[in-house]
Amino acid sequence: MIKLLLPDGSSRMVENWISGKELIGGLETALKKEVVCLKVNGELKDLDTQLPADAEVSLVRRSDPEALEVLRHSAAHIMAQAVKRIFPAAKLAIGPAIENGFYYDFDLPRPLTPEDLTVIEGEMKKIIKEDYPFTHRLVAKEEALASLRQAGEKYKEELVAELEDGEISFYQQGEFSDLCRGPHLPSTRYLKAFKLTSIAGAYWRGDSSREMLQRIYGTAFFSREELDHYFKLLAEAARRDHRKLGREMDLYSTDDQIGPGLILWHPKGGRIRQVIEDFWREEHRKNGYEIVYTPHLGRRSLWETSGHLGFYQENMYAGMEVEGQEYLIKPMNCPFHIAIYQSRSRSYRDLPFRWAELGTVYRYERSGVLHGLLRVRGFTQDDAHIFCRPDQMPEEIDRTLAFCLAILKAFGFKDFKLYLATRPEKSVGAEERWAAATEALRAAIEKTGLPYAVDEGGGAFYGPKIDLKIKDALGREWQCSTIQFDFNEPERFDLSYKGSDSQDHQPYMIHRALLGSLERFFGILIENYEGAFPLWLAPVQAVVLPVLPANLDYAGEVYDWLRAKGIRVELDSRNEKIGYRIREAQVQKVPYMLVVGSKEAETGQVAVRTRKEGDLGACSREELLARMEKEIREKS
RNA sequence: GCCAGCGUAGCUCAAUUGGCAGAGCAGCUGAUUUGUAAUCAGCAGGUUAUCGGUUCAAGUCCGAUCGCUGGCUCCA
């Protein structure tokens, strides 16, 4: 018997030896229309699949996440069919569904232009109208190889050659056939709302030494509304783009004279950075860290000892010669913190050390990867290194993770996802140390109760790590924080401490960054808040707006008073109408606009207008200050 | 670095097939005396990213360089 699980939680027993189509034939029409494919014993299958005996079957409906994947995968096939019709010489590579849509990689006789996308879309619409069923067939491996070879599909041939011997799964719609595991939509007509979005280059199999293919990206949804919503979201992201806001709000810039990926923090960006740094230092002090400062350069031999010249050289700037010695600019701070550790002998009683530094590093990033503040060549890490004994290690990890979450929460981030990255194949360090460290990381993660995933073999070669991703206001994920063990450098620098047994022991060394880099974090903050920073971060917290030049004296008095109270306040006394100056303050996302005219001058009050709530009417200066100070304190 | 696209005033964008580089905003000057999202007028602003080539003539066509954008590889 086949057990059919229905969406309402009930189940139905059905006779064996029927196909999926027959199975859903008995369902009510409304539900039947919703079904895209089936899940048979947990595996996605086409509707026209022959069901095995005694299977457990559930329906995949349009609203299920798997359905969207199937839709997009089928959309990729339809696109490939259209491309083949337009470019018969096109060779197919791969075409999966991805997070926000799908793509297909092609080897084409000429570069694509944006106009081609319109033509391909048109052909796709024809294919959809022609309503070909997606049919599944199994072909013997040898036969598949032969036919692909004959068709000149060398990429597909390469893929099939690597599959296990036996039957190879193909899907066909109309004249188009493609190697594919499936499943697919019942027919091409099911694709209703789609759009091709961009063309990009992509290496065959992601390998930069292999052919560069042309990738076409597209997206698809079950309804027009969902498609429109997706494009609205993209427009929203464009509005928040930190590169655009950074220029409009005069926060930062880059300059061709200086070079790409090198950031100029303007005064307003600088104010925000200073607030972040002051907060960061104070929190670190409270959490038992000591602040250290280290140079920007070090001798070649330092980087030889650390191993960076071996595994990181391609990201380091070329050295410079000084008095016959070669110096290199630092891409990381750790060797310097290690040098502090080595500056004297260390006892087990001294540990743990928690040394933090806002350390500016320079890394050569290939030109194509640079992106605003998010990917740069010079940046300041909020770095720290913890040196501790094995018995202290689990607690240090706990503390670090808790501290990390507290800091991120202060900046308004509430959604976190953790990734535990374990030992990769190529790695250094003793097995017991890896096991102990990985367990401590796992235990710390589980203590937080937050969702996490294990990235098997995703650790650095020198140690396991936790990567923490935050979700911003648009639901986009960003990685800032990382907590990493290092079994490499303590060994290379031969770090030790004297134990209670009078023997030398190697300390655990943990690298951690909470914000990651100040540049990247700043970029994320701009996008998260759409430039409308909460009061504690706002570069200009309030602007005083005299209604008339006659009110300038009183406006100056208000301005001086707030300034003296530590508020970042500006005075806009330009010869413009009050509406004009309010608009400008609003556009610049200033949280408080303080309108002062003759009425206020007489009563000693200020008329308060906030960015969020508009005109709030007049109140005393003290009331205003109390309100602002509360808002600053609560970081709201 | 690779693939594709792009680069015109501080910003956003115009400029038929190659035929006199223009507008709005911002800036400056003046007028206006203003009460919660843009007052009016005038002025100024350019080696069309840079260098080279084709042409009677190049913002426009070709080449190189630099930079930017979207991807790929890599990553805080």
Side-chain angles (χ1 to χ4, degrees):
Chain A
M1 294 293 273
I2 287 170
K3 186 177 186 188
L4 174 60
L5 302 169
L6 291 168
D8 62 9
S10 68
S11 63
R12 206 179 280 179
M13 298 309 285
V14 186
E15 278 302 315
N16 274 335
W17 314 118
I18 62 168
S19 75
K21 273 198 179 130
E22 289 166 318
L23 178 80
I24 69 157
L27 298 174
E28 54 175 299
T29 324
L31 180 57
K32 196 160 47 176
K33 271 191 170 164
E34 285 288 297
V35 178
V36 174
C37 59
L38 301 174
K39 216 179 217 178
V40 181
N41 295 331
E43 249 182 85
L44 286 175
K45 293 283 183 194
D46 303 295
L47 267 189
D48 70 352
T49 198
Q50 191 64 41
L51 297 170
D54 303 319
E56 188 172 273
V57 180
S58 58
L59 307 172
V60 176
R61 293 176 300 157
R62 285 163 187 244
S63 51
D64 294 318
E66 291 105 329
L68 201 52
E69 237 174 87
V70 171
L71 175 81
R72 289 168 173 176
H73 188 187
S74 295
H77 275 230
I78 293 169
M79 178 169 79
Q81 183 176 11
V83 168
K84 270 290 213 184
R85 282 183 178 181
I86 296 163
F87 301 95
K91 291 182 178 55
L92 305 173
I94 52 163
I98 51 171
E99 192 185 349
N100 289 310
F102 61 89
Y103 68 79
Y104 212 115
D105 287 346
F106 304 96
D107 192 343
L108 293 170
R110 66 163 174 85
L112 290 169
T113 66
E115 293 78 62
D116 290 323
L117 290 190
T118 319
V119 176
I120 296 166
E121 271 180 9
E123 194 60 41
M124 288 173 72
K125 283 178 187 151
K126 267 169 72 183
I127 293 166
I128 290 164
K129 220 171 164 190
E130 287 157 15
D131 194 20
Y132 300 107
F134 283 88
T135 54
H136 185 216
R137 72 198 157 87
L138 293 168
V139 180
K141 185 172 173 180
E142 283 314 311
E143 197 187 317
L145 282 174
S147 71
L148 287 170
R149 190 172 310 136
Q150 205 199 341
E153 293 285 2
K154 62 170 184 168
Y155 303 99
K156 291 291 181 193
E157 191 187 336
E158 184 178 327
L159 292 175
V160 171
E162 287 172 23
L163 292 173
E164 278 177 35
D165 289 347
E167 300 215 293
I168 308 294
S169 165
F170 279 80
Y171 274 81
Q172 178 136 16
Q173 84 265 17
E175 80 285 2
F176 177 83
S177 165
D178 195 2
L179 167 72
C180 181
R181 196 176 296 124
H184 278 283
L185 299 171
S187 77
T188 59
R189 181 174 48 86
Y190 278 64
L191 180 60
K192 293 228 157 62
F194 75 98
K195 179 113 190 95
L196 302 187
T197 50
S198 62
I199 310 159
Y203 299 110
W204 169 233
R205 315 202 96 175
D207 182 342
S208 57
S209 67
R210 304 203 63 180
E211 294 91 332
M212 174 62 76
L213 305 172
Q214 296 193 69
R215 175 171 297 179
I216 304 176
Y217 282 95
T219 191
F221 292 89
F222 281 103
S223 71
R224 187 82 220 170
E225 292 69 42
E226 288 166 293
L227 185 70
D228 291 345
H229 179 255
Y230 172 71
F231 283 103
K232 271 196 195 120
L233 211 69
L234 287 188
E236 172 70 22
R239 262 197 299 286
R240 289 166 178 264
D241 193 312
H242 72 279
R243 294 166 299 183
K244 175 176 169 283
L245 290 169
R247 186 174 52 240
E248 288 172 1
M249 297 177 69
D250 198 14
L251 299 174
Y252 83 96
S253 64
T254 55
D255 188 320
D256 286 0
Q257 302 173 84
I258 294 165
L262 301 168
I263 303 301
L264 299 168
W265 293 70
H266 294 197
K268 283 181 183 158
R271 288 184 203 172
I272 298 174
R273 176 165 172 166
Q274 200 176 347
V275 174
I276 295 171
E277 289 188 0
D278 289 349
F279 171 70
W280 184 92
R281 276 194 204 89
E282 179 58 16
E283 291 303 307
H284 277 70
R285 190 190 61 74
K286 285 189 205 159
N287 275 277
Y289 284 80
E290 307 254 37
I291 304 291
V292 298
Y293 298 87
T294 67
H296 289 72
L297 313 164
R299 278 193 174 145
R300 181 177 186 89
S301 56
L302 175 78
W303 303 106
E304 275 164 2
T305 306
S306 71
H308 285 92
L309 283 176
F311 66 83
Y312 208 72
Q313 186 162 30
E314 60 181 32
N315 284 295
M316 292 172 72
Y317 283 99
M320 63 189 92
E321 204 190 280
V322 180
E323 294 175 342
Q325 292 281 331
E326 194 181 352
Y327 286 77
L328 290 129
I329 301 177
K330 68 175 172 184
M332 293 186 190
N333 303 301
C334 31
F336 297 85
H337 293 193
I338 285 174
I340 295 173
Y341 185 94
Q342 288 176 312
S343 65
R344 48 168 293 181
S345 62
R346 304 293 182 180
S347 147
Y348 72 99
R349 299 175 203 270
D350 300 330
L351 299 174
F353 294 116
R354 304 185 196 98
W355 292 335
E357 174 177 15
L358 293 168
T360 303
V361 298
Y362 292 86
R363 298 182 183 175
Y364 164 68
E365 297 285 358
R366 289 188 286 181
S367 52
V369 307
L370 301 173
H371 181 94
L373 290 168
L374 302 181
R375 192 75 185 271
V376 295
R377 285 181 173 161
F379 57 98
T380 300
Q381 291 183 303
D382 71 317
D383 209 356
H385 294 92
I386 298 167
F387 300 89
C388 67
R389 304 188 306 255
D391 62 292
Q392 295 168 324
M393 185 266 285
E395 196 204 324
E396 288 304 315
I397 296 294
D398 272 1
R399 288 178 61 129
T400 306
L401 188 51
F403 183 35
C404 180
L405 291 170
I407 293 278
L408 292 172
K409 280 178 186 159
F411 288 97
F413 296 104
K414 291 177 197 78
D415 280 335
F416 306 101
K417 191 153 183 218
L418 300 162
Y419 295 83
L420 173 62
T422 62
R423 184 165 197 163
E425 271 180 38
K426 268 182 67 184
S427 52
V428 300
E431 185 52 50
E432 321 84 72
R433 293 201 139 213
W434 273 88
T438 307
E439 267 330 292
L441 291 175
R442 187 192 302 274
I445 289 173
E446 282 175 357
K447 222 172 270 186
T448 65
L450 293 167
Y452 78 101
V454 178
D455 181 5
E456 279 309 333
F461 76 88
Y462 49 79
K465 61 175 180 175
I466 297 175
D467 286 331
L468 197 152
K469 287 191 181 170
I470 53 179
K471 257 193 196 173
D472 76 2
L474 285 190
R476 297 173 298 180
E477 286 192 359
W478 306 92
Q479 195 206 314
C480 298
S481 319
T482 182
I483 302 173
Q484 313 189 342
F485 275 88
D486 189 337
F487 303 134
N488 184 48
E489 288 183 278
E491 182 69 34
R492 287 178 153 269
F493 283 94
D494 195 23
L495 295 191
S496 68
Y497 63 89
K498 201 63 94 181
S500 55
D501 56 0
S502 300
Q503 299 294 305
D504 285 334
H505 299 271
Q506 193 177 85
Y508 273 102
M509 176 178 173
I510 300 158
H511 306 256
R512 50 111 278 200
L514 309 184
L515 309 178
S517 91
L518 292 178
E519 285 75 8
R520 176 178 286 180
F521 192 72
F522 185 35
I524 294 167
L525 275 184
I526 294 170
E527 304 218 352
N528 183 53
Y529 289 120
E530 200 176 350
F533 293 101
L535 193 61
W536 76 289
L537 289 170
V540 179
Q541 295 174 311
V543 59
V544 180
L545 305 169
V547 176
L548 291 174
N551 311 124
L552 195 52
D553 280 353
Y554 178 64
E557 203 181 299
V558 172
Y559 167 81
D560 288 339
W561 188 79
L562 284 169
R563 228 178 115 80
K565 299 290 183 190
I567 299 295
R568 296 187 289 276
V569 61
E570 288 187 352
L571 178 62
D572 185 354
S573 57
R574 285 177 302 170
N575 181 16
E576 295 288 351
K577 284 165 70 174
I578 191 74
Y580 177 91
R581 284 173 288 154
I582 283 174
R583 178 172 194 279
E584 185 142 301
Q586 191 77 36
V587 167
Q588 286 293 313
K589 304 175 197 287
V590 177
Y592 280 84
M593 288 155 260
L594 308 173
V595 177
V596 293
S598 308
K599 276 184 282 183
E600 288 75 21
E602 261 171 48
T603 57
Q605 290 185 310
V606 290
V608 178
R609 180 194 171 91
T610 68
R611 178 179 66 199
K612 276 185 233 155
E613 297 163 273
D615 192 354
L616 297 181
C619 70
S620 75
R621 287 182 225 174
E622 286 76 12
E623 272 177 81
L624 168 71
L625 182 66
R627 179 188 161 115
M628 291 181 77
E629 283 178 338
K630 180 167 181 280
E631 202 173 322
I632 290 168
R633 209 166 40 242
E634 291 172 353
K635 300 187 166 54
S636 54

